[in-house]
Amino acid sequence: HVQLVESGGGSVQPGGSLTLSCVTSEYNFGTCGMEWYRQAPGKERELVSTITNDGVIKYRGSVKGRFTAARDISRNTLYLQMNSLKTEDTAMYYCAAQAERSGLCLPYKLWGRGTQVTVS
């Protein structure tokens, strides 16, 4: 079955950097869109970045210029490079992938379990 596994979280001081990875398995990587979300304690989950099947990347306003998303299709891996981290970036970060079957993108997402990022 499809798995998404995030890693790379940790604790950093403000201004620091982290790179998150999301490795997929049993998934036709690159066929459908993928996303990074985050959820801070007591807050709703929010979209951080999207990458479409053809590689177009978008960011939420508060991370533009600081975060960079990328994918390596050969490694079935999605990345999120986070620079100039702020305390308000503290959250659990999740990778999500649009479900796919036989090359068709389905109208629901698959989720990883998340990786914690703490900036303090």
Side-chain angles (χ1 to χ4, degrees), residues 63-106:
V63 308
K64 278 184 181 178
R66 301 189 297 121
F67 289 13
T68 303
R71 65 181 182 180
D72 186 336
I73 294 176
S74 67
R75 295 177 182 268
N76 296 330
T77 303
L78 182 70
Y79 300 98
L80 186 67
Q81 171 70 43
M82 306 186 295
N83 297 327
S84 302
L85 283 161
K86 303 177 181 180
T87 55
E88 53 263 43
D89 295 319
T90 295
M92 183 72 79
Y93 283 71
Y94 298 91
C95 170
Q98 189 173 4
E100 176 272 342
R101 180 178 297 165
S102 302
L104 296 177
C105 300
L106 305 177

Side-chain angles (χ1 to χ4, degrees), residues 3-5 21-31 34 70-79 95 97:
Q3 285 190 310
L4 286 71
V5 180
S21 299
C22 172
V23 179
T24 68
S25 58
E26 304 295 327
Y27 181 68
N28 198 355
F29 194 94
T31 299
M34 297 186 70
R71 65 181 182 180
D72 186 336
I73 294 176
S74 67
R75 295 177 182 268
N76 296 330
T77 303
L78 182 70
Y79 300 98
C95 170

Side-chain angles (χ1 to χ4, degrees), residues 1 3 10 27 48-50 60 62 72 93 103 111 114:
H1 64 284
Q3 285 190 310
Y27 181 68
V48 175
S49 177
T50 64
R60 72 179 298 108
S62 61
D72 186 336
Y93 283 71
W111 295 87

